[in-house]
Amino acid sequence: MRTAPTILHLDMDAFFASAEQASKPSLRGKAVIVGGLGPRGVVSTCSYEARVFGVHSAMPMAQARRLAPNAAYLVPRFGLYRQISEQVMGLLRELSPLVEPLSLDEAFVDLEAGGTAWDEASALLAGKKLRDDIRAVTGLTGSVGLAACKMLAKIASEQAKPDGLVLIEPGTERALLAPMPVRILPGVGPATGDHLRRGGINTVGEIAEAGEDELVRLLGKAHGLALYAMALAHDERPVVAERDTKSVSVEDTYDVDIHDRVRVRMEVQRLADRCVQRLRGAQLSGRTIVLKVRRYDFSTLTRSETLRGPTDDPAVVREAAARLLEAVDTTGGVRLLGVGVTGLADYTQEDLFAQAQAQAQAEAEAQAAAEGGPEGLGAEPVAAAEEVVEEPEAVVERQWRAGHDVRHVEFGHGWVQGSGLGRVTVRFETPDSAPGRVKTFRVDDPGLEGAEPLPLVAPLPAPLEDEGPRRSPRP
């Protein structure tokens, strides 16, 4: 069993909310709550300033508003969070090839496997340098736990929060665990916790005192033995390198059920485009298109179609998703829609027939344009008696989501503070500016448009060729 504290657990501090505060100077030091803002919304993350009021993750947004009515409430910007996460994971992979991401903001690292740490001193050095690098590259803070196993490393990072580093010294593990509640152990959820409590076991120390036989009697052999071993600070789970992506998908939950079939079709098309953007961003393609529909009564339907070969063509994904939607009854209303792609590959098998068809259509359009359009030389006249009935286009109002980035032709980059009654309020500021001024516009103002998030920190200059390696050489 490993004895050196060379397993590292990183957990970014209030990740979504901290990213928003770093991006928006006017929100620094203030209560910020990120999540779904509709009546069905829940809190994704909140800043430490908001936690003072009792707000926490997974809380219904309506309850959060009652507890902290003056906080800033923002819709998540997952594109920005993914960019920052990629930067952080890149720093972790410089430490070791064995990096196990748990989410966008959390991961385990086996420092010994990367030759980065082999004892307490080198582990502390690696942990301190990682925290400094994360702050320099992203402007954010992360808490680091170091221990001889994954379970203890995660406990250490919890103790380190916020913006700290804790190393659990070998030989102190059991004394540290003994007074902690049983829920601190992996695999102990509410049901197991209640079961143990009814058996008179409330702390990790009491699990160790109860012994293997009692734990097996209460929880069964597999669970009982595993829990008893963890109570003795034994956790043999290895750090597993990041697994291959199995699917790429996007979905939206709507504050009000969608009943209009045209609107449902448009939402599916929009989700298909977003899904393809994410697919291409990962340099992947896929064979199976999946449509997910949650109806008004919470029943969830999933439909899929497998293509002849992998694709990352947005038109192909849109058409497949539209075909799948035709087989779903949405009469009573839709509360959630999702589009995904599975059967992933790192190449695309082009549809040669579709290519040829598209090329022929483009050539025909070019020829018609050269001849002066459909009424030009050689064009077939349109029969006057033929009536073409087209489905009316839905009028789509631009949505200005609180917290999302915008740009104005006169005032520059800003973010949406709120919108309603035909107006949108924008605060104009950037990550490296002073708190900005506020302006209000009509929602259809031609000078206002959506924008991409700005980087929180200016990119670092490329290292010189003669610079040494990032890690300290092992003696």
Side-chain angles (χ1 to χ4, degrees), residues 8 70 93 152 185 195 265 294 327 346 392 406 408-409 417:
L8 180 149
N70 297 319
R93 293 187 185 96
L152 292 170
L185 298 179
H195 201 59
R265 289 196 201 101
R294 181 166 297 149
D346 57 1
V406 295
H408 192 272
V409 292
Q417 281 199 327

Side-chain angles (χ1 to χ4, degrees), residues 311-380:
T311 185
D312 63 355
D313 186 334
V316 173
V317 176
R318 282 197 301 267
E319 290 170 6
R323 286 194 297 270
L324 294 170
L325 179 63
E326 291 306 312
V328 178
D329 179 13
T330 61
T331 306
V334 171
R335 61 189 299 122
L336 177 147
L337 289 169
V339 174
V341 177
T342 65
L344 301 183
D346 57 1
Y347 66 93
T348 302
Q349 180 178 316
E350 298 291 351
D351 187 334
L352 298 179
F353 175 75
Q355 274 191 328
Q357 193 176 41
Q359 184 176 358
Q361 182 177 353
E363 291 173 354
E365 290 174 352
Q367 183 176 355
E371 293 173 346
E375 295 180 357
L377 180 64
E380 291 291 333

